[in-house]
Amino acid sequence: MNRFVIADPDKCIGCHTCEVACVVAHAGNNMFLEGECGGDFYPRLTVVETDEVTAPVQCRHCEDAPCANVCPNGSITSRDNSIFINQDSCIGCKTCMLVCPYGAISMVPAYKSGQKQHQSGLHSNSSGAWSRKERIVANKCDLCEDSGHGPECVRVCPTNALQLIVPSQIEDSISGKRLASAQSLQQFGGFSRL
Amino acid sequence: MSYDPIIHIDEQLCTGCRRCAAVCPVDAIIGEPGHPQTIDAHRCVVCGQCVQICTAYAADNESTLASRAVKLQERGQLPNVHEPLFAAYSSGDIQKVKAVLADPKRFKVVQCAPAIRVSLAEEFGLPFGTLTPGKMAAALRRLKFDRIYDTNFAADVTIMEEGSELIGRVMSGERLPMFTSCCPAWVKHAETAAPELLNHLSSCKSPMQMGGALFKTYGAELDGIAPADIFSVAVMPCTCKKFECSREEMNVEGCREVDLVITTRELASLIKDQGIDFIHLPEEPFDSPLGKYSGAGSIFGVTGGVMEAAIRTGYELITHEQIPNLQLDFVRGEEGIRTAEVQIGDLELKVAVVAGLKYVDAVLAKVGEGTCPYHFIEVMACPEGCVSGGGQPKLLLETQRKCAYQARKSAVYRHDSHQKVRKSHENPDIIKLYKDFLGEPLGDTSHHLLHTKFVDRSVKEEMS
């Protein structure tokens, strides 16, 4: 089973610290450097605020992941119990974004070593003159796998509203519930068939 | 009189998480959870801790927002600022500084606080606490400042004045305890919350204002420039210094002592705007004589630093003997209150260091009752002194905060320990300043230029 991060809307205060932490975790301490993320700021989770609910939403790392199923060139795979987008091979077709039932995928400019990446062939006149078009790729929660410390959003949340669900823990929690459930049956022992 | 309250919360961006209210030392942030917050400008001490902690930012897809360019203009930031716009912010003055630097007719003088040289490099991707006084001076020279003077020099002057004042007051037993008056946020709080105790504050101006006053008098004489032609800029780790420099009484010979204050972050944005490659700049010296400082001047940037610098000089002025140990670990530390007793000849000097303005009210209450046992109390509004100021490079995560403060503090102490002169009264340019210009500490010229009076602000006035 895949791991995933999920928020408790009762605890979330809408401070956006998780989003900021997400960007910092993927950009390092250099995020204020020119060209690094610029005015562009692309967290991989999004805090939603309405009158009824406040909570960050992010990738659920679905088992039968719709995004992976529709990716035309195999850029989305199941890697180490998570759903992973290979941004190096992503062609920016946007299909995964359309099929994701959680709205967890967005399209963002691709960066490498702090520099915006450009396509090798395609040119664009959007800046007024013809120049190589920037690469746009699909972006979503990667559980901070490359950092080696696990999800930064979970660590920084001031109200502990976020948690990482891992299969072994959920098994423990479920077996605990099963045990409690069995124990609660005890008081009904010996009742007759209705 | 109406004035810019300096600290603002953008109601379009604030989500009402109230983490700012949790760090505000004076309960000046008002509002319901989940709704945009407002600031009570009367209570607010302009320390900028709310600006540091705020993470609610402008998402680029919110169509109801005023455009980014409009917001940057409102905030007084340069259009090249590449970072999210956060809800809590301080008014910027960097556009004005940029315009003055382009004016060849003005004689532009700059000073930097002790805490800038241990944090500026962070804005250019170097590790927390990287020490770059030489690159900072080089960058300021390339920005076309005519004189690179230093707040650290002025801090040495402060020690001469404040140390002498302390000795006088301890000997006479007058108005004890004596509080430091370098931190403008603390001064504003005292003026608002405890005006009846203002005579306990040292009458010294802050190092920044002392520097400003000296640049337009002593400095103007040395350079043969009319004070009115000098434009004086101060780079501060502090948002409240913007408030301090605009105080009516802070003027000399009819001129503002300090014309504009910019923060560490504003200086970094100007360096980037001008395309200066900060990391590869050479190490350059400050200009003499108002830019040469002792180790004591450089430790003003951390909590306990003013106390330590004052004891280094006070000890020798009272006993006429060398102080046995220059590193006074008992006043160094973190957020909270530290106390110590220092044996100076026959005198047992009782001192306290308050790091974080929220701890001061208990001390003020004791002073009001007449039961406060100390002679000398240092107060800094920000949690670990100026290294943790509201104008410093923004730390986005709480997980970074401790280690950044620690690294900046270690850099300040390392800088002190590497100075040849580590006591203010042994700084040759300080000795020369008193010989040629000021005369004696607390003398007439000092009294006129370097000392001030405080204002009762307990009555709420109209804000703009």
Side-chain angles (χ1 to χ4, degrees), chain B residues 28 53 72 77 94 131 153 165 168 190 204 251 285 316 390 398 436:
Chain B
I53 200 164
L72 283 172
Q77 286 181 287
I94 196 66
L131 181 65
F153 169 86
E165 184 184 0
C204 288
N251 70 81
E316 303 199 355
E398 288 313 297
D436 294 352

Side-chain angles (χ1 to χ4, degrees), chain A residues 14-15 17 19 29 31 41 49, chain B residues 15 19 55 57 84 396 400:
Chain A
C15 67
T17 302
E19 294 182 345
N29 287 337
M31 63 151 292
F41 193 77
E49 291 166 276
Chain B
T15 62
R19 292 199 307 141
T55 47
Y57 67 94
L396 289 166
Q400 299 173 329

